[in-house]
């Protein structure tokens, strides 16, 4: 029982920590560090305009949580409501440009991990 609570808490804590710095965020797109950019999106699929410090903080939290799970040389999307990390869709796939596609492209085939460790 306690293990389940700790796992759920881990997922909630990451999403809550990100919402503390970007309250309306539902998706964080973390690009490879060489690109030096992170995008945060609202539920309406549009980007949140935040300062670079906030971008770095959100990306850092996600990278630390999934440090041994993800290949950070490629872009990943973290969906806050589910605590799930996905590979970012390719430019030709639905969800690559959320504001145009009206989708985050959260396909199960691109799922990498869930913050509670259940995947």
């Amino acid at each position: 029982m306690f293990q389940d609570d700790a796992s759920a808490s881990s997922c909630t804590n990451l999403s809550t920590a990100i919402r503390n710095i970007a309250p309306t965020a539902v998706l964080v797109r973390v690009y490879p560090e060489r690109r030096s950019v992170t995008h945060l999106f609202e539920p309406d699929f549009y980007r949140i305009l935040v300062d670079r410090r906030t971008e770095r903080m959100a990306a850092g939290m996600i990278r630390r949580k999934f440090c041994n799970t993800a290949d950070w040389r490629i872009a990943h999307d973290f969906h806050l409501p589910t605590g799930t990390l996905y590979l970012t869709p390719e430019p030709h796939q639905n969800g690559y440009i959320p504001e145009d596609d009206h989708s985050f492209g959260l396909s199960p085939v691109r799922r990498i991990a869930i913050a509670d460790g259940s995947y």
Side-chain angles (χ1 to χ4, degrees):
M1 174 104 174
F2 293 110
Q3 186 177 21
D4 291 342
D5 291 343
S7 294
S9 175
S10 173
C11 175
T12 303
N13 288 342
L14 179 58
S15 294
T16 300
I18 293 170
R19 284 196 184 105
N20 284 338
I21 60 171
T24 60
V26 295
L27 185 99
V28 180
R29 181 162 290 167
V30 181
Y31 289 97
E33 288 185 2
R34 70 183 184 280
R35 284 200 54 190
S36 187
V37 67
T38 300
H39 294 160
L40 289 85
F41 294 90
E42 293 182 304
D44 63 1
F45 307 106
Y46 286 92
R47 279 187 48 206
I48 301 170
L49 300 177
V50 295
D51 58 62
R52 183 65 190 126
R53 181 177 169 268
T54 301
E55 288 180 5
R56 279 192 208 116
M57 288 174 62
M61 286 186 258
I62 295 166
R63 282 190 178 110
R64 279 189 300 279
K65 176 65 183 171
F66 298 104
C67 64
N68 296 322
T69 308
D71 178 357
W72 294 109
R73 295 173 295 174
I74 55 177
H76 290 77
D77 292 346
F78 180 70
H79 188 239
L80 278 72
T82 61
T84 306
L85 186 71
Y86 295 87
L87 286 174
T88 297
E90 295 295 324
H92 65 278
Q93 293 176 316
N94 192 35
Y96 183 73
I97 304 173
E99 58 268 28
D100 290 349
D101 299 337
H102 293 282
S103 168
F104 291 126
L106 304 178
S107 171
V109 299
R110 286 195 300 276
R111 182 174 35 208
I112 300 295
I114 299 175
D116 68 6
S118 64
Y119 188 73

